[in-house]
Amino acid sequence: MAEITRERLGQIIEAVLTVLRDHPDGLQAAAVIAELERLLPPTAFEQADYPSTPGKRRYEKVVRFSTIGPVKAGWMVKDRGVWAITEAGKAVIGRYADPADLARESDRLYRQWRVGQPDDGDADATGADDP
Protein backbone atom coordinates (compact mmCIF):
# COMPACT_ATOMS: atom_id res chain seq x y z
CA MET A 1 0.00 0.00 0.00
CA ALA A 2 2.84 2.38 -0.86
CA GLU A 3 0.38 4.74 -2.57
CA ILE A 4 -1.73 4.91 0.59
CA THR A 5 -0.22 7.41 3.00
CA ARG A 6 -0.59 7.23 6.76
CA GLU A 7 -2.76 10.35 6.52
CA ARG A 8 -5.05 8.65 3.99
CA LEU A 9 -5.23 5.54 6.15
CA GLY A 10 -6.31 7.72 9.09
CA GLN A 11 -8.96 9.39 6.94
CA ILE A 12 -10.34 6.00 5.93
CA ILE A 13 -10.39 4.73 9.52
CA GLU A 14 -12.15 7.86 10.80
CA ALA A 15 -14.70 7.76 7.99
CA VAL A 16 -15.45 4.05 8.50
CA LEU A 17 -15.99 4.65 12.21
CA THR A 18 -18.22 7.62 11.43
CA VAL A 19 -20.36 5.53 9.08
CA LEU A 20 -20.64 2.79 11.70
CA ARG A 21 -21.53 5.28 14.44
CA ASP A 22 -24.58 6.19 12.38
CA HIS A 23 -25.59 2.50 12.24
CA PRO A 24 -25.40 1.26 15.85
CA ASP A 25 -26.74 -2.20 14.94
CA GLY A 26 -23.98 -2.66 12.37
CA LEU A 27 -23.99 -2.75 8.61
CA GLN A 28 -22.96 -5.19 5.90
CA ALA A 29 -19.41 -4.52 4.75
CA ALA A 30 -20.50 -3.68 1.19
CA ALA A 31 -22.98 -1.11 2.54
CA VAL A 32 -20.28 0.45 4.74
CA ILE A 33 -18.01 0.78 1.72
CA ALA A 34 -20.81 2.28 -0.39
CA GLU A 35 -21.56 4.91 2.29
CA LEU A 36 -17.87 5.50 2.81
CA GLU A 37 -17.41 6.21 -0.88
CA ARG A 38 -19.95 9.02 -0.67
CA LEU A 39 -18.30 10.42 2.46
CA LEU A 40 -14.69 9.88 1.35
CA PRO A 41 -14.42 9.42 -2.41
CA PRO A 42 -11.56 7.26 -3.67
CA THR A 43 -8.34 8.84 -4.83
CA ALA A 44 -7.25 8.25 -8.43
CA PHE A 45 -5.02 5.39 -7.23
CA GLU A 46 -7.87 3.79 -5.25
CA GLN A 47 -10.31 4.23 -8.12
CA ALA A 48 -8.00 2.42 -10.52
CA ASP A 49 -8.21 -1.30 -11.16
CA TYR A 50 -5.50 -3.71 -10.12
CA PRO A 51 -3.25 -4.23 -13.16
CA SER A 52 -3.35 -8.01 -12.72
CA THR A 53 -7.16 -8.11 -12.40
CA PRO A 54 -8.89 -5.65 -14.71
CA GLY A 55 -12.33 -4.75 -13.45
CA LYS A 56 -11.27 -5.18 -9.82
CA ARG A 57 -11.03 -1.71 -8.28
CA ARG A 58 -8.54 -1.07 -5.46
CA TYR A 59 -10.86 1.00 -3.21
CA GLU A 60 -12.75 -1.90 -1.68
CA LYS A 61 -9.58 -3.84 -0.83
CA VAL A 62 -7.88 -0.73 0.53
CA VAL A 63 -10.82 -0.09 2.85
CA ARG A 64 -11.03 -3.72 4.01
CA PHE A 65 -7.27 -3.85 4.64
CA SER A 66 -7.40 -0.50 6.46
CA THR A 67 -9.91 -1.86 8.98
CA ILE A 68 -7.68 -4.64 10.31
CA GLY A 69 -5.98 -2.30 12.79
CA PRO A 70 -9.23 -0.79 14.11
CA VAL A 71 -10.64 -4.29 14.68
CA LYS A 72 -7.55 -5.36 16.63
CA ALA A 73 -7.61 -2.02 18.48
CA GLY A 74 -11.12 -2.83 19.67
CA TRP A 75 -12.72 0.07 17.82
CA MET A 76 -14.93 -2.08 15.64
CA VAL A 77 -15.98 -5.69 15.16
CA LYS A 78 -16.59 -7.78 12.07
CA ASP A 79 -18.99 -10.68 12.40
CA ARG A 80 -20.12 -12.69 9.38
CA GLY A 81 -19.86 -9.74 7.02
CA VAL A 82 -21.44 -7.22 9.40
CA TRP A 83 -19.26 -4.41 10.70
CA ALA A 84 -20.17 -2.58 13.91
CA ILE A 85 -18.57 0.11 16.04
CA THR A 86 -17.68 -0.39 19.70
CA GLU A 87 -17.80 2.18 22.50
CA ALA A 88 -14.04 2.54 22.17
CA GLY A 89 -14.51 3.25 18.46
CA LYS A 90 -17.10 5.92 19.18
CA ALA A 91 -14.70 7.52 21.65
CA VAL A 92 -11.86 7.75 19.12
CA ILE A 93 -13.90 9.66 16.48
CA GLY A 94 -12.68 13.25 16.38
CA ARG A 95 -9.97 12.64 19.00
CA TYR A 96 -7.09 13.21 16.56
CA ALA A 97 -6.81 16.45 14.59
CA ASP A 98 -4.25 14.82 12.28
CA PRO A 99 -5.54 11.66 10.55
CA ALA A 100 -1.98 10.30 10.53
CA ASP A 101 -2.04 10.29 14.34
CA LEU A 102 -5.20 8.16 14.28
CA ALA A 103 -3.50 5.72 11.91
CA ARG A 104 -0.43 5.61 14.16
CA GLU A 105 -2.59 4.83 17.19
CA SER A 106 -4.35 2.08 15.26
CA ASP A 107 -0.94 0.66 14.27
CA ARG A 108 0.30 0.87 17.86
CA LEU A 109 -2.73 -1.00 19.21
CA TYR A 110 -2.46 -3.56 16.42
CA ARG A 111 1.18 -4.23 17.32
CA GLN A 112 0.23 -4.49 20.99
CA TRP A 113 -2.42 -7.07 20.07
CA ARG A 114 0.02 -8.96 17.82
CA VAL A 115 2.61 -9.34 20.57
CA GLY A 116 0.05 -11.21 22.65
CA GLN A 117 -0.68 -13.76 19.93
CA PRO A 118 0.87 -17.23 19.93
CA ASP A 119 3.81 -17.76 17.61
CA ASP A 120 2.63 -20.14 14.88
CA GLY A 121 6.25 -20.88 13.97
CA ASP A 122 6.50 -23.26 16.94
CA ALA A 123 4.03 -25.75 15.49
CA ASP A 124 4.86 -28.49 13.01
CA ALA A 125 2.87 -29.14 9.85
CA THR A 126 0.14 -30.94 11.82
CA GLY A 127 -0.31 -27.95 14.09
CA ALA A 128 1.08 -29.77 17.14
CA ASP A 129 3.89 -28.30 19.17
CA ASP A 130 7.28 -29.99 18.93
CA PRO A 131 8.12 -32.10 22.00
Side-chain angles (χ1 to χ4, degrees), residues 6-22 32 35-36 39-40 59 63 66-67 69-70 75-76 85 88-106:
R6 191 171 300 278
E7 179 178 7
R8 181 62 176 175
L9 180 61
Q11 291 170 347
I12 292 169
I13 293 169
E14 179 107 14
V16 166
L17 294 174
T18 299
V19 167
L20 293 176
R21 180 191 58 200
D22 296 340
V32 173
E35 282 199 35
L36 180 68
L39 185 64
L40 187 69
Y59 189 69
V63 171
S66 298
T67 59
W75 299 342
M76 61 182 283
I85 193 168
K90 290 176 188 174
V92 81
I93 296 172
R95 183 182 296 170
Y96 299 91
D98 182 354
D101 290 337
L102 176 63
R104 276 190 275 282
E105 180 64 2
S106 175

Side-chain angles (χ1 to χ4, degrees), residues 60-113:
E60 289 77 7
K61 292 282 187 187
V62 167
V63 171
R64 288 175 185 273
F65 184 79
S66 298
T67 59
I68 295 170
V71 168
K72 302 308 181 188
W75 299 342
M76 61 182 283
V77 294
K78 295 178 180 181
D79 184 25
R80 288 176 267 165
V82 175
W83 296 3
I85 193 168
T86 65
E87 289 302 315
K90 290 176 188 174
V92 81
I93 296 172
R95 183 182 296 170
Y96 299 91
D98 182 354
D101 290 337
L102 176 63
R104 276 190 275 282
E105 180 64 2
S106 175
D107 288 347
R108 184 187 73 77
L109 293 171
Y110 173 84
R111 285 190 308 275
Q112 184 178 353
W113 168 85

